[in-house]
């Protein structure tokens, strides 16, 4: 079918047309890819300008890199070939080089991005594509037959693009941006129809595929026609078959409720509860029960979340001990239990401490550590591969979560979705988008405000939080206003997610828990700035909301002291799943649902990682050192390394008057209880780590959060 003279790359439009004519689908597909890549690129720009985006994740970067790096590399190799080899480069070989360069860059970017935990599913899909298309793309290289070259190339294109088209969301990008917008708009809220709609949309592509196959194999290679049809049919069957299997599996567990656990890092309870500070959150909370005296078990992100996930004390689970130790793999987590009960377990987190390196992904099928980050659209391909530049913003997080919920809504299997954001945590970066929220609070945005030693506020490479500890006194008030603005901004983004969760179909079969890992301090005297390294109530008192329409009463405010440790047994109890016996928390189901009163209990919190010294620096604690706090009936007792503190929280909620010397008998009882707790849970049983060094990316994330 091809003549010898057709197979050499020649200059001029006639030569180019001849090439395109010989492999129409390949180049039609490439044109579609370029259109899709451009649409994604434009989409990235739209997101930058605050418009609602549809692909706020790595997809646009992958498409962009595929197109430009792959094509560029292929052309470079071809140019080098023609410069140094006397033998002319045949068109099929040129195309093969292009394809292989493309696939290699594709693989490199996937490997690179999958290290963040995000595109795991895409990675699996990519492997599938490789398996399907590799044999066909090898044909032109190994065969001397012109027909085989032609058939191999078009076969590769057919398999590749049809497999891509089967990946429903990519179909829309490939076919065109207008269809993407139209279908998403039309299908919004009617996600159960998305499968058939995608199938209908795929019909023109199917027609194109068959037309191309018939055209290519028309005068020869008829034997291979069957192979094409089989490959295409297989590609088109995979997605519907997977949907069918999921549907059948779902029918058995359709009644199991979902769980969504939202952790707003560093959100103080008073901000969440104070009228007007976070109106969307408060509106949503009115449909559930608020636990207004909830206490976290640690004062910084890693140990606190590890306790939340495992219902174990920091000394037990090992996360947050010095030298970068993570959650011990021996500890059973909430996600692991739910996964054992056929829950799909997915997390969108802000990364940093919430990363697989620290063992926090235990039990999660998908653990996206860039849940609120977007590759900055500078699209520098080299930096993308070597050192991707990310930016944290709650609108990216909202878009990602909304998209996930939109897609997930169509499936009937139960899920556990963990959502975490550093948006409030990062208030000190004085981001320009906080200006409107400062104005709403009656404050003026200071674009020149910069914490000491920071080179720039928005730079993710800059060290952040530590410098709050050494901020000049006249900056503390502005920092606190910034914190309020960040909470207000987060609330405005949270509104979209909470509205979606309020949708009747979802809210009646979904248990939603919203809490925080710790608060934030703003008092220069006594030393109560920032979080971590101490155990006062500005850090331990956290918001806690439990909403489960039709099960948990609406509008309840419960002032009984409870612990973050209680959330895991409570969630399992409300989901109807048996709890493991060795959890340290108790189920709050009776307290919330029927108004029962739990027995008087002691609530403990711990710091086993570091302490803040008198000169406002961090000192890592030795293996046998720890701080312990005890909360009981409005009384707070803290055992530090330097001494002890005793406060009456009912009259002194800010913990200013240390009553240790004036109440010796009470102090003695609390000291004994603290000692008994420390003896029961010695520090530290099963430390996990330290592992090999932090990756540069993780190191940079932690620095930007102010920890290294
Ligand atoms: Zn935190």
């Amino acid at each position: 079918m091809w003549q010898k003279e057709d197979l050499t790359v020649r200059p001029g439009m006639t030569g180019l047309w001849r090439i395109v004519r010989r492999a129409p689908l390949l180049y039609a597909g490439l044109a579609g890819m370029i259109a899709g890549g451009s649409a994604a690129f434009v989409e990235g720009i739209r997101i930058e300008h605050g418009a609602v985006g549809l692909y706020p994740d790595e997809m646009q970067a992958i498409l962009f890199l595929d197109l430009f790096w792959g094509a560029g590399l292929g052309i470079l190799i071809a140019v080098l070939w023609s410069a140094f080899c006397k033998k002319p480069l045949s068109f099929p070989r040129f195309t093969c080089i292009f394809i292989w360069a493309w696939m290699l860059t594709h693989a490199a970017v996937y490997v690179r991005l999958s290290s963040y935990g995000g595109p795991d599913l895409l990675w699996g899909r990519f492997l599938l594509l490789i398996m399907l298309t590799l044999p066909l793309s090898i044909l032109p290289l190994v065969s001397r037959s012109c027909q085989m070259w032609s058939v191999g190339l078009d076969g590769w294109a057919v398999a590749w693009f049809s497999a891509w088209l089967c990946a429903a969301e990519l179909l829309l990008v490939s076919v065109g941006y207008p269809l993407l917008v139209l279908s998403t708009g039309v299908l919004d809220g009617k996600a159960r129809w998305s499968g058939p709609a995608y199938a209908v949309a795929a019909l023109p592509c199917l027609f194109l595929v068959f037309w191309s196959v018939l055209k290519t194999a028309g005068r020869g290679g008829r034997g291979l026609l069957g192979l094409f049809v089989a490959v295409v049919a297989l590609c088109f069957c995979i997605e519907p078959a997977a949907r069918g299997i999921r549907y059948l599996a779902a029918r058995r567990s359709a009644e199991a409720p979902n769980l969504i656990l939202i952790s707003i890092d560093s959100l103080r309870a008073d901000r969440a509860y104070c009228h007007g500070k976070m109106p969307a959150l408060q509106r949503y909370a009115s449909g559930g029960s608020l636990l207004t005296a909830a206490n976290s078990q640690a004062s910084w992100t890693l140990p606190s979340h590890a306790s939340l996930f495992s219902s174990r004390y920091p000394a037990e689970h090992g996360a947050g001990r010095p030298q970068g130790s993570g959650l011990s793999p021996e500890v059973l987590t909430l996600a692991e239990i739910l996964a054992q009960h056929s829950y799909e377990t997915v997390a969108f987190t802000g990364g940093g401490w919430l990363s697989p390196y620290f063992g926090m992904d235990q039990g999660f099928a998908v653990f996206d550590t860039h849940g609120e980050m977007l590759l900055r659209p500078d699209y520098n391909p080299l930096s993308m591969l070597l050192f991707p530049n990310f930016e944290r913003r709650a609108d990216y997080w909202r878009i990602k979560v909304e998209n996930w919920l939109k897609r997930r809504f169509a499936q009937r299997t139960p899920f556990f979705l963990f959502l975490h954001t550093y948006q409030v945590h990062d208030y000190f970066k004085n981001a320009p988008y906080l200006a409107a929220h400062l104005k709403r609070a009656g404050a003026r945005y200071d674009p020149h405000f910069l914490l000491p030693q920071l080179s720039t506020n928005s730079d993710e490479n800059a060290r952040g939080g530590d410098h709050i500890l050494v901020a000049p006194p006249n900056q503390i008030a502005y920092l606190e206003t910034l914190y309020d603005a960040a909470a207000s901004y987060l609330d405005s983004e949270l509104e979209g997610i909470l509205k979606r969760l309020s949708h009747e179909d979802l809210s009646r079969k979904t248990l939603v828990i919203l809490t925080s890992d710790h608060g934030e301090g703003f008092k220069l005297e006594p030393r109560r700035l920032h979080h971590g390294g101490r155990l006062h109530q500005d850090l331990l008192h956290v918001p806690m909301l439990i909403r489960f329409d039709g099960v948990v009463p609406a509008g309840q405010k419960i002032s009984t002291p409870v612990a973050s440790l209680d959330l895991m047994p409570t969630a399992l109890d409300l989901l109807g799943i048996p709890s493991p016996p060795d959890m340290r928390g108790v189920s709050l189901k009776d307290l919330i649902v029927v108004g029962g009163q739990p027995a008087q209990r002691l609530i403990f919190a711990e710091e086993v990682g570091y302490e803040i010294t008198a000169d406002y620096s961090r000192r890592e604690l030795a293996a046998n050192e720890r701080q312990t706090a005890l909360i009981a009936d409005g009384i707070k007792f803290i055992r530090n390394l330097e001494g002890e503190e005793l406060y009456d929280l009912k009259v002194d909620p800010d913990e200013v008057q240390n009553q240790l010397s004036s109440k010796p008998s009470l102090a003695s009882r609390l000291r004994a209880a603290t000692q008994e707790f420390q003896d029961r849970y010695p520090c530290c049983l099963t430390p996990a780590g330290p592992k090999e060094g932090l990756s540069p990316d993780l190191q940079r994330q932690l620095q930007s959060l102010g920890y290294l």
Side-chain angles (χ1 to χ4, degrees):
M1 67 204 295
W2 281 11
Q3 303 303 312
K4 198 78 179 172
E5 62 269 20
D6 291 335
L7 301 178
T8 307
V9 176
R10 293 174 186 174
M13 288 305 290
T14 314
L16 188 67
W17 172 240
R18 184 175 292 160
I19 289 170
V20 172
R21 204 152 50 92
R22 292 300 171 197
L25 182 69
L26 178 66
Y27 288 95
L30 283 177
M33 293 281 286
I34 289 167
S38 307
F41 182 63
V42 171
E43 187 61 24
I45 294 170
R46 287 183 64 233
I47 291 168
E48 270 308 289
H49 288 82
V52 173
L54 296 161
Y55 277 84
D57 49 23
E58 299 82 0
M59 190 60 65
Q60 52 194 311
I62 294 169
L63 284 169
F64 194 80
L65 279 169
D66 280 352
L67 291 169
F68 292 88
W69 268 62
L73 196 60
I75 290 168
L76 180 68
I77 293 170
V79 167
L80 290 175
W81 182 304
S82 54
F84 295 104
C85 297
K86 288 180 180 168
K87 197 176 167 189
L89 179 65
S90 72
F91 161 67
R93 285 216 164 84
F94 169 80
T95 313
C96 279
I97 290 170
F98 170 79
I99 289 170
W100 277 95
W102 185 19
M103 287 173 80
L104 282 175
T105 48
H106 205 76
V109 172
Y110 268 111
V111 168
R112 180 75 184 125
L113 293 179
S114 66
S115 66
Y116 294 106
D120 287 349
L121 295 173
L122 299 175
W123 176 237
R125 189 174 287 162
F126 175 65
L127 285 178
L128 180 72
L129 293 181
I130 291 278
M131 284 192 302
L132 284 171
T133 59
L134 205 59
L136 289 167
S137 64
I138 288 172
L139 268 180
L141 286 177
V142 299
S143 172
R144 290 177 173 276
S145 154
C146 296
Q147 274 187 16
M148 287 296 276
W149 286 348
S150 164
V151 166
L153 279 177
D154 249 15
W156 175 86
V158 166
W160 179 268
F161 291 117
S162 52
W164 242 48
L165 299 184
C166 285
E169 61 272 32
L170 291 179
L171 159 71
L172 295 174
V173 175
S174 303
V175 170
Y177 185 64
L179 184 56
L180 178 70
V181 175
L182 183 70
S183 65
T184 311
V186 170
L187 294 173
D188 190 13
K190 302 180 187 64
R192 72 191 64 183
W193 297 107
S194 61
Y198 286 136
V200 170
L203 283 177
C205 307
L206 195 63
F207 172 77
L208 187 68
V209 167
F210 277 107
W211 174 79
S212 174
V213 169
L214 290 170
K215 194 89 175 151
T216 310
R219 279 185 293 148
R222 282 183 190 279
L224 285 171
L225 183 60
L227 174 66
F228 290 152
V229 173
V231 169
V232 171
L234 181 66
C235 291
F236 274 85
C237 285
I238 288 169
E239 185 76 9
R243 278 172 187 268
I245 292 166
R246 277 202 301 263
Y247 178 77
L248 288 175
R251 284 183 63 179
R252 274 183 294 159
S253 51
E255 298 307 312
N258 307 307
L259 170 63
I260 299 179
L261 175 58
I262 306 173
S263 169
I264 300 171
D265 206 294
S266 309
L267 181 64
R268 288 172 60 115
D270 56 1
R271 296 321 200 264
Y273 297 145
C274 177
H275 184 70
K277 294 266 186 192
M278 300 184 76
L281 174 58
Q282 282 161 3
R283 264 196 306 279
Y284 182 74
S286 65
S289 293
L290 280 175
L291 292 134
T292 57
N295 297 279
S296 71
Q297 267 52 67
S299 64
W300 58 287
T301 310
L302 177 58
S304 182
H305 278 102
S307 288
L308 185 66
F309 283 179
S310 65
S311 194
R312 299 286 195 118
Y313 290 104
E316 293 181 280
H317 59 55
R321 293 199 56 227
Q323 302 170 334
S325 300
L327 177 61
S328 168
E330 294 164 26
V331 171
L332 190 63
T333 65
L334 176 61
E336 284 174 308
I337 294 174
L338 293 175
Q340 287 166 6
H341 285 79
S342 304
Y343 274 67
E344 183 186 358
T345 50
V346 177
F348 294 108
T349 80
W353 299 116
L354 272 300
S355 71
Y357 180 86
F358 296 107
M360 301 302 282
D361 64 332
Q362 285 180 46
F364 285 101
V366 176
F367 197 87
D368 186 347
T369 56
H370 283 57
E372 57 178 340
M373 288 180 230
L374 182 72
L375 283 166
R376 280 198 190 155
D378 49 9
Y379 295 108
N380 177 344
L382 195 60
S383 73
M384 191 83 84
L385 267 184
L386 300 179
F387 208 62
N389 204 0
F390 287 89
E391 183 181 31
R392 278 197 194 90
R393 260 180 35 193
D395 50 348
Y396 307 151
W397 184 68
R398 170 181 56 77
I399 292 165
K400 198 171 232 179
V401 172
E402 283 184 338
N403 279 344
W404 188 87
L405 285 170
K406 213 184 289 179
R407 285 200 296 266
R408 189 57 181 71
F409 193 53
Q411 298 171 26
R412 298 181 65 195
T413 44
F415 62 80
F416 168 36
L417 178 63
F418 172 65
L419 304 175
H420 165 261
T421 170
Y422 282 118
Q423 199 62 58
V424 177
H425 179 286
D426 279 3
Y427 67 94
F428 52 80
K429 289 183 177 165
N430 194 34
Y433 52 79
L434 295 181
H437 296 270
L438 276 166
K439 197 174 172 185
R440 205 170 295 161
R444 267 189 56 212
Y445 178 64
D446 176 5
H448 306 296
F449 172 81
L450 197 62
L451 281 175
Q453 300 174 46
L454 282 186
S455 58
T456 153
N457 277 317
S458 60
D459 187 358
E460 281 291 315
N461 296 312
R463 294 183 58 178
D466 269 4
H467 302 295
I468 296 171
L469 295 171
V470 291
N474 62 356
Q475 290 188 345
I476 304 299
Y478 184 69
L479 277 171
E480 190 163 3
T481 323
L482 271 178
Y483 178 86
D484 286 342
S488 167
Y489 169 63
L490 190 268
D491 186 69
S492 67
E493 295 298 334
L494 201 57
E495 187 170 16
I497 297 175
L498 296 179
K499 266 187 184 164
R500 194 162 283 281
L501 297 186
S502 304
H503 191 279
E504 197 179 337
D505 286 355
L506 194 60
S507 69
R508 295 195 78 81
K509 62 174 184 181
T510 305
L511 165 62
V512 178
I513 296 174
L514 187 145
T515 188
S516 170
D517 55 344
H518 53 78
E520 179 76 354
F522 293 103
K523 286 201 165 29
L524 195 62
E525 285 300 333
R527 294 181 294 132
R528 305 281 169 83
L529 287 174
H530 203 32
H531 59 263
R534 60 188 179 86
L535 295 169
H536 299 104
Q537 283 307 97
D538 54 345
L539 305 185
L540 298 187
H541 186 201
V542 289
M544 191 181 284
L545 160 70
I546 298 183
R547 180 166 166 170
F548 194 177
D549 292 5
V551 178
V552 169
Q556 243 186 158
K557 286 189 179 173
I558 300 166
S559 58
T560 309
V562 296
S564 296
L565 289 172
D566 300 336
L567 284 177
M568 180 174 168
T570 304
L572 291 172
D573 204 3
L574 285 167
L575 296 175
I577 294 172
S579 296
D582 51 357
M583 287 188 296
R584 309 306 175 207
V586 296
S587 170
L588 306 174
K589 185 180 173 187
D590 283 352
L591 173 69
I592 298 167
V593 177
V594 296
Q597 284 297 319
Q600 281 289 334
R601 58 189 287 219
L602 305 179
I603 292 172
F604 291 94
E606 287 189 289
E607 174 61 78
V608 294
Y610 60 90
E611 66 165 353
I612 305 297
T613 60
D615 62 349
Y616 282 104
S617 58
R618 291 174 196 269
R619 185 184 76 82
E620 284 202 349
L621 299 182
N624 59 348
E625 290 179 326
R626 70 202 294 191
Q627 299 175 27
T628 302
L630 188 169
I631 301 156
D633 196 23
I635 299 293
K636 172 88 170 277
F637 178 78
I638 304 174
R639 176 183 279 181
N640 292 319
L641 297 177
E642 307 88 45
E644 294 169 338
E645 298 167 46
L646 176 63
Y647 302 107
D648 184 347
L649 296 179
K650 289 172 195 154
V651 296
D652 180 22
D654 291 338
E655 296 162 290
V656 179
Q657 306 291 330
N658 188 351
Q659 300 187 350
L660 193 73
S661 52
S662 61
K663 294 184 176 171
S665 62
L666 177 63
S668 164
R669 288 205 305 277
L670 295 171
R671 188 177 299 119
T674 303
Q675 188 59 50
E676 189 192 334
F677 168 81
Q678 292 188 341
D679 292 343
R680 194 185 312 156
Y681 305 111
C683 189
C684 293
L685 290 180
T686 50
K691 302 181 199 169
E692 68 276 9
L694 299 175
S695 72
D697 300 306
L698 187 53
Q699 194 164 1
R700 195 168 53 127
Q701 284 179 29
L702 292 172
Q703 280 174 352
S704 79
L705 294 166
Y707 287 103
L708 295 183

